[in-house]
Amino acid sequence: MNFFSTLSRTVRLAFCATILALSCASIAQSPAPVAYTISLVSPEQHLVEVQIFLPEGAAQREVQFPVWNALYQIRDFAQYVNKVRAKDRSGKPLLVRELNKSRWQIQGADQGAIVEYQIYVDQPGPFNAQLNTHHAFLNLAEILMYPVDTRSAPLHVRFSHIPEGWHIATALASSPGGEFTAANYDRLVDSPVEISNFQESDFDEAGGHYRVIVDADSADYDMAKIVAALHKIVAAATSWMSDRPFDTYTFIYHFPRGPAGGGMEHAFSTAIDVNAEAMKQSLDALTGVTAHEFFHLWNVKRIRPQTLEPVDYTKENYTRALWFSEGVTSTAEGTVQLRAGLLDEKQYLYRLGEQITELERRPAHLTQSAEESSLDAWLEGYGYYHRPDRSVSYYNKGELLGVMLDLAVRDASHGRASLREVMQWMNENYARKGRFFNDSAGVREAAEAVSQANLSLFFTKYVAGTEEIPWDDFFRSVGLRVEAIPNTVSDAGFTASRNFDGPMTVGAVTPGSEAEHAGLREADIIVELQGRAAGQESREELARLNPGDALSVKVRSRRGGDRELKWIVGSRQEISYELTDLDQVTAEQHARRLAWLKGEAQGAVVGTTGSGGTETEKGK
Ligand SMILES: [Zn+2]
C-alpha cells in the first residue's frame, strides 16, 4: 500500500543545515524538542494516554490531528480522542479551544505546555492502531497530534505502562535512555511500533541488516522458512535496483486467524498481515505482499510524486501517480519474485493473464483512466465506487501499464533499456537528489531518457486516456499473444469487494438472479460465506464454486440484523485472457523474453542470439 514523507524530508533538513542555515536557525537551535509520552494505560479498554510536551515558544499554539494516514482515505482519527486538555509546566490548566474537528488552539503556552488526551485504539491490521491485552500495534499518525508550528522539528517519544514481558520493535532510532527519536513528525509517523511478546529473527544480506518481527501463534509459522524467503526477496530487489538506501530494515508480521490481509510500506520498515490459514497453505501468501511492500521503500517512499509532498494531513492529498507508485510497484513485485526464484515463467504469465482478465472485464476501463483512478483513490471507502462499471483499480491497470511500459522501452531502445533502467534513472535523478517527480510526466521523462525515444502516445492513450491497450502489439516482441477464451463460469449473482482490511460488502446484485430472489441487497455486508468468516480468501472461495452448487451466506444490512441466505449458483458466459506463445517464436523473440523475465535490458544478450531470424517451435 502507501506512503509517507521520510527521506525527502531528512534530505531537506540536511540542506537546511548547510545551505539555508539562517532560515533553519530555529530548528538547529531548538533546545528542547517536542516530546511525546505514550502510555498504554488500559489494554482491556483499548485506551492510550498521550502527553505532548511543547517547548517554550509562542503563547498561542495549535495542535492538529491527521485526518488520514496510510490509506488514501479520510478516516478522521480525532473521532477516537477523548477530551483534550493542556497545562503549563507548573501544572496550571491552560485554555484549550477547538478550532475544527481535528485542530485545537492552546493559549498561554509561551513558557512551554503539556497537551494531554486519551485515545481509543482497537483497529487491527497494518493500516491501523490497536491496543489490546495481546499487543499494541501503532501507526503513530493515528494517535499523535502534531504542533502545527514545529512539524518539521526533531522530537522524542517515550512509551510507558508497558505490560510485563512486552518489548518494543520499531525502525525509529532509540536513545540510551529508552527514548525514541525522529528528525521530524513525518519521519516519526512513518515508523509503526509493535509492542508485545513477539518473536524476533534477523539476517544480513550484502551489507544490509534485516530484522524480522513476528507477533503470531508460533504454531502458525516457521521463522526459518520466512527468513529464507525474505533473504531471497531483499537480495533480488536490491540487486535489481543496484541500491540499498538504508542500513537496517525491519519486517513486522501478524498472522491473524480471522480475516486479514495487506501490507503497509514505510521507508525503513513494513507491517504485513497474512491470514494464518493462508500461511499454512503456502508461503506465497507472504512472499508476494512482502516483495511489494519492500519495493515501496524505493517506489513511493523515495521515488516520490511531487503531488504527495508535502503531506497534507488536514485533507486529501490528490495525486495522479498511484498507477505508478502502487501499480508499477506490483509490476516490480512480479519481477522481484521471478528473480528470487519464487515464481516461474508459467506462473508469472498465468498471473499476467489474470490481471488482463480483471481489467478487460470491468466496463469502466473504457471510461476511467489510470490517472483518474489514482485521483479517485479517496472514494475507495465507498461500496458503490467498486462496481465494475464505475472504476478500475490503479493497482490492476498500473501493474499492466508497468509491464507495457517495460516492453515499450525495450522496443524503443532496441533492447538497451528496460523498466529497470527507468526505475534506476528515477532513483538517481529524483530520490537521491531529494527531488520529487512530476506525476506521469516525470515517469515519461525517465522512460524517454533511458530509451532515447518519444513515448508521448503511450502516456496519452493508456495512462491519461482510456484507449484499449493493444496487448498483442506489446507482447509480440517477446513471442507472446493474448488469447481470449470464452468459457462458462459460475455466477453467484453478485459482486462484492473489501476496502483494504474492511468487511466484504456487496457492490451489485444481478437483476433477476438467484441471489436477488434469495434477498441479497446492495451494500449488504457479508459476514460469513459457506459457514466461514468472510475475508481475504472469500473471493477465491467464490471463484471455486461451480454452477449448481449451493451457496450459503450470512449477511448484515446497514440497519443491522443478520440474515441467513441460501441459493443455487448460476452461470454465465465470460471471456478469460491467457498469454500464449506465438505459433512461431523466433530466436530473437526468445532472447528478448529471457531478458524480459529477468527484468534486465538485453544489452549483453544482443549478438549472442545469432541472426535473429531463426524460427523455433511453439512451446519452447
Ligand atoms: Zn502498495
Side-chain angles (χ1 to χ4, degrees):
M1 223 264 106
N2 345 19
F3 63 79
F4 261 136
S5 152
T6 52
L7 186 78
S8 48
R9 206 156 272 281
T10 315
V11 167
R12 212 181 301 147
L13 274 178
F15 274 118
C16 273
T18 53
I19 301 164
L20 304 166
L22 205 62
S23 62
C24 292
S26 62
I27 295 172
Q29 290 170 6
S30 177
V34 172
Y36 294 90
T37 297
I38 299 169
S39 306
L40 311 184
V41 289
S42 179
E44 297 82 7
Q45 293 170 62
H46 318 290
L47 290 172
V48 171
E49 293 273 2
V50 175
Q51 287 187 310
I52 311 173
F53 297 84
L54 302 177
E56 292 169 15
Q60 192 168 293
R61 317 269 184 96
E62 290 177 11
V63 287
Q64 168 80 39
F65 222 113
V67 303
W68 72 277
N69 172 241
L71 303 179
Y72 300 96
Q73 284 170 26
I74 299 297
R75 291 190 287 162
D76 285 325
F77 306 114
Q79 66 178 298
Y80 299 113
V81 172
N82 294 320
K83 190 170 172 54
V84 179
R85 313 170 304 278
K87 59 190 181 190
D88 68 11
R89 292 270 166 84
S90 68
K92 195 179 109 215
L94 296 176
L95 198 63
V96 177
R97 188 163 167 257
E98 181 169 336
L99 300 178
N100 64 40
K101 66 186 180 342
S102 302
R103 191 179 285 226
W104 289 261
Q105 185 186 70
I106 317 295
Q107 289 176 15
D110 45 324
Q111 296 302 310
I114 302 166
V115 180
E116 299 175 309
Y117 55 88
Q118 190 182 58
I119 182 164
Y120 173 87
V121 289
D122 191 28
Q123 305 277 323
F127 316 111
N128 296 315
Q130 182 174 49
L131 169 64
N132 57 28
T133 54
H134 173 78
H135 82 156
F137 175 78
L138 306 171
N139 275 301
L140 295 177
E142 301 175 23
I143 64 167
L144 299 181
M145 300 190 204
Y146 61 87
V148 174
D149 60 345
T150 51
R151 182 178 139 190
S152 55
L155 38 83
H156 290 189
V157 179
R158 198 171 67 84
F159 293 91
S160 82
H161 294 72
I162 296 173
E164 192 148 339
W166 289 17
H167 305 281
I168 303 175
T170 175
L172 289 171
S174 59
S175 70
E179 286 189 334
F180 294 91
T181 56
N184 53 60
Y185 181 81
D186 289 15
R187 177 71 190 86
L188 173 75
V189 301
D190 184 45
S191 300
V193 183
E194 168 71 21
I195 311 177
S196 64
N197 180 22
F198 52 77
Q199 295 296 306
E200 177 162 7
S201 186
D202 66 344
F203 65 95
D204 293 309
E205 162 61 36
H209 185 64
Y210 299 85
R211 296 177 68 196
V212 187
I213 308 293
V214 181
D215 174 36
D217 191 320
S218 58
D220 290 340
Y221 67 96
D222 179 337
M223 184 67 106
K225 280 189 184 158
I226 292 174
V227 167
L230 296 187
H231 213 125
K232 289 181 193 166
I233 289 168
V234 304
T238 52
S239 73
W240 195 60
M241 287 300 285
S242 302
D243 187 37
R244 178 178 51 77
F246 55 84
D247 294 323
T248 301
Y249 184 93
T250 305
F251 296 92
I252 302 174
Y253 291 104
H254 293 95
F255 306 132
R257 292 284 169 82
M264 182 63 218
E265 69 277 7
H266 303 281
F268 296 93
S269 61
T270 180
I272 292 171
D273 274 25
V274 182
N275 172 265
E277 275 304 312
M279 274 286 290
K280 274 186 191 161
Q281 281 162 26
S282 161
L283 206 56
D284 292 353
L286 178 137
T287 52
V289 64
T290 299
H292 180 100
E293 305 308 337
F294 188 73
F295 194 76
H296 266 314
L297 78 88
W298 291 283
N299 199 21
V300 96
K301 299 306 307 189
R302 291 173 174 83
I303 301 173
R304 189 161 174 81
Q306 179 65 69
T307 38
L308 290 179
E309 283 295 325
V311 174
D312 189 343
Y313 296 106
T314 70
K315 61 178 194 295
E316 294 89 342
N317 241 144
Y318 286 106
T319 176
R320 289 174 197 274
L322 294 184
W323 71 268
F324 183 79
S325 297
E326 282 299 342
V328 180
T329 295
S330 291
T331 313
E333 168 193 335
T335 301
V336 167
Q337 286 177 288
L338 281 166
R339 288 173 70 86
L342 296 166
L343 271 185
D344 63 24
E345 174 178 351
K346 198 172 160 217
Q347 293 165 318
Y348 179 71
L349 296 182
Y350 179 77
R351 214 180 84 159
L352 268 187
E354 284 187 321
Q355 292 293 326
I356 292 170
T357 301
E358 181 178 334
L359 183 65
E360 292 290 341
R361 279 189 190 167
R362 295 187 79 86
H365 77 270
L366 294 172
T367 52
Q368 188 193 41
S369 71
E371 289 189 344
E372 288 166 344
S373 174
S374 305
L375 289 172
D376 291 341
W378 300 90
L379 292 175
E380 287 177 345
Y382 306 109
Y384 188 93
Y385 177 75
H386 291 270
R387 289 167 60 117
D389 50 353
R390 172 65 182 90
S391 62
V392 296
S393 158
Y394 50 81
Y395 285 93
N396 170 226
K397 186 163 183 187
E399 177 177 351
L400 291 167
L401 285 175
V403 175
M404 299 308 118
L405 183 63
D406 188 9
L407 293 170
V409 165
R410 287 167 188 277
D411 200 45
S413 68
H414 307 288
R416 284 189 295 273
S418 70
L419 185 63
R420 184 190 200 187
E421 281 69 32
V422 175
M423 279 295 176
Q424 291 194 2
W425 192 95
M426 293 180 81
N427 200 32
E428 276 310 316
N429 291 281
Y430 300 122
R432 287 190 181 171
K433 290 182 179 163
R435 295 169 59 210
F436 306 108
F437 71 89
N438 182 20
D439 286 18
S440 303
V443 181
R444 183 182 151 190
E445 181 191 5
E448 293 188 338
V450 300
S451 66
Q452 299 282 306
N454 183 337
L455 295 170
S456 64
L457 283 183
F458 180 94
F459 285 85
T460 309
K461 287 179 174 178
Y462 313 126
V463 176
T466 53
E467 284 199 27
E468 287 277 13
I469 298 173
W471 308 110
D472 287 351
D473 292 351
F474 285 96
F475 284 115
R476 189 174 301 116
S477 65
V478 288
L480 292 166
R481 67 188 168 85
V482 173
E483 195 173 350
I485 299 162
N487 47 13
T488 303
V489 297
S490 65
D491 185 354
F494 69 98
T495 63
S497 61
R498 291 177 72 215
N499 178 31
F500 290 96
D501 51 1
M504 193 170 181
T505 307
V506 176
V509 180
T510 310
S513 65
E514 289 285 325
E516 189 188 54
H517 292 146
L520 189 70
R521 299 287 173 260
E522 284 173 16
D524 276 348
I525 288 168
I526 299 182
V527 185
E528 284 178 12
L529 193 94
Q530 305 295 61
R532 274 189 291 281
Q536 188 189 14
E537 311 73 37
S538 301
R539 242 179 104 164
E540 289 89 71
E541 183 140 16
L542 279 172
R544 277 196 299 271
L545 292 169
N546 294 311
D549 283 356
L551 179 61
S552 76
V553 297
K554 187 198 248 184
V555 299
R556 186 168 297 157
S557 74
R558 221 182 273 170
R559 286 161 208 262
D562 291 355
R563 285 128 56 215
E564 304 267 1
L565 308 177
K566 289 186 198 311
W567 68 91
I568 300 298
V569 174
S571 66
R572 67 172 189 279
Q573 284 293 309
E574 190 108 85
I575 308 276
S576 296
Y577 296 86
E578 284 178 18
L579 282 157
T580 55
D581 278 339
L582 294 174
D583 292 338
Q584 303 285 325
V585 179
T586 66
E588 192 64 39
Q589 285 166 331
H590 190 67
R592 283 195 213 110
R593 191 187 304 181
L594 281 180
W596 172 58
L597 292 171
K598 271 193 199 163
E600 293 177 4
Q602 227 175 335
V605 189
V606 169
T608 64
T609 55
S611 66
T614 320
E615 308 271 312
T616 57
E617 286 309 303
K618 178 179 172 169
K620 272 224 167 173

